[in-house]
């Protein structure tokens, strides 16, 4: 899967909306805003349906095996998180 760097094994499937939502709900309030300016308290306000839609996008990217060109130009942190549960 070209979505992951060489040497990093891709998960068997992308996270679903429930997993994304669950992870968002575990974010600490004292965490800094992300590169997009969103703070954990704001992210937690997103409805479950937003996470389901995000999961659809992730699944499409996963199934395709690559990111659209625009994703390569978007600023994203490359810091692995050890506490992810998916």
């Amino acid at each position: 899967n070209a979505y992951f760097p060489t040497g990093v094994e891709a998960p068997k499937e992308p996270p679903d909306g429930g997993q994304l939502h669950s992870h968002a709900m575990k974010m600490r309030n004292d965490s800094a805003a992300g590169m997009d300016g969103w703070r954990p308290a704001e992210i937690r306000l997103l409805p479950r349906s937003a996470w389901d839609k995000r999961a659809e996008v992730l699944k499409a990217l996963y199934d395709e095996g690559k990111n659209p060109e625009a994703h390569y130009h978007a600023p994203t942190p490359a810091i692995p998180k050890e506490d992810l549960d998916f």
Side-chain angles (χ1 to χ4, degrees):
N1 187 319
Y3 192 71
F4 293 89
T6 302
V8 175
E9 186 176 335
K12 301 298 181 216
E13 59 186 51
D16 63 30
Q19 291 170 311
L20 293 173
H21 180 254
S22 175
H23 180 69
M25 297 308 286
K26 293 176 187 174
M27 295 174 73
R28 296 178 12 203
N29 270 338
D30 61 348
S31 294
M35 294 180 74
D36 54 11
W38 284 70
R39 299 190 175 282
E42 297 165 325
I43 290 172
R44 277 197 225 97
L45 294 175
L46 293 171
R48 168 62 193 270
S49 59
W51 298 107
D52 291 337
K53 290 294 184 186
R54 176 64 178 156
E56 289 177 22
V57 170
L58 291 175
K59 178 156 181 17
L61 293 175
Y62 185 87
D63 290 347
E64 180 70 24
K66 62 182 181 178
N67 279 322
E69 183 65 27
H71 281 208
Y72 293 108
H73 303 290
T76 55
I79 303 169
K81 306 290 188 199
E82 293 183 19
D83 62 342
L84 294 179
D85 57 358
F86 48 81

